[in-house]
């Protein structure tokens, strides 16, 4: 499913906002409103999980650490452990 949001230029006025910045702001809003997990909001923003966490920090937004976030982190630990074991 694809959602397209159209905003008339008159509503944006002279805001220096690119489509990437609008996408990031939208994802941050969904995350801070607890409508999306860290992983999902990062995907919506089109950036990595880690970069999204850094962006939240820049904006002084606290992490809402959910079960889904814990599961994501555990998958990452498993992948890293498998990579280390393979490299050894």
């Amino acid at each position: 499913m694809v959602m397209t949001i159209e905003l008339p230029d008159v509503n944006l006025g002279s805001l220096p906002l690119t489509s990437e910045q609008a996408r990031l702001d939208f994802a941050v809003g969904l995350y801070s409103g607890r409508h999306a997990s860290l992983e999902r909001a990062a995907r919506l923003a089109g950036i990595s999980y880690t970069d999204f966490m850094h962006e939240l920090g820049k904006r002084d937004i606290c992490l809402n650490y959910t079960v889904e976030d814990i599961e994501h982190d555990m998958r990452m630990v498993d992948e890293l452990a498998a990579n280390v074991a393979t490299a050894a």
Side-chain angles (χ1 to χ4, degrees):
M1 178 177 169
V2 173
M3 178 187 289
T4 301
I5 300 173
E6 291 185 29
L7 297 172
D9 288 338
V10 70
N11 291 343
L12 295 176
S14 61
L15 292 176
L17 189 65
T18 66
S19 61
E20 291 81 16
Q21 290 167 324
R23 186 175 174 176
L24 177 59
D25 287 346
F26 179 69
V28 167
L30 288 175
Y31 176 77
S32 63
R34 296 183 182 232
H35 299 289
S37 68
L38 271 170
E39 183 177 15
R40 188 169 202 181
R43 277 185 285 143
L44 288 169
I47 61 176
S48 73
Y49 184 83
T50 304
D51 287 344
F52 190 76
M53 287 176 45
H54 286 292
E55 185 62 34
L56 293 174
K58 288 181 201 173
R59 296 175 185 224
D60 293 324
I61 297 173
C62 294
L63 296 178
N64 306 320
Y65 206 65
T66 65
V67 171
E68 186 176 327
D69 297 324
I70 292 169
E71 291 169 348
H72 172 271
D73 289 347
M74 293 305 295
R75 284 192 307 273
M76 294 303 294
V77 167
D78 290 343
E79 288 177 27
L80 289 172
N83 289 340
V84 168
T86 311

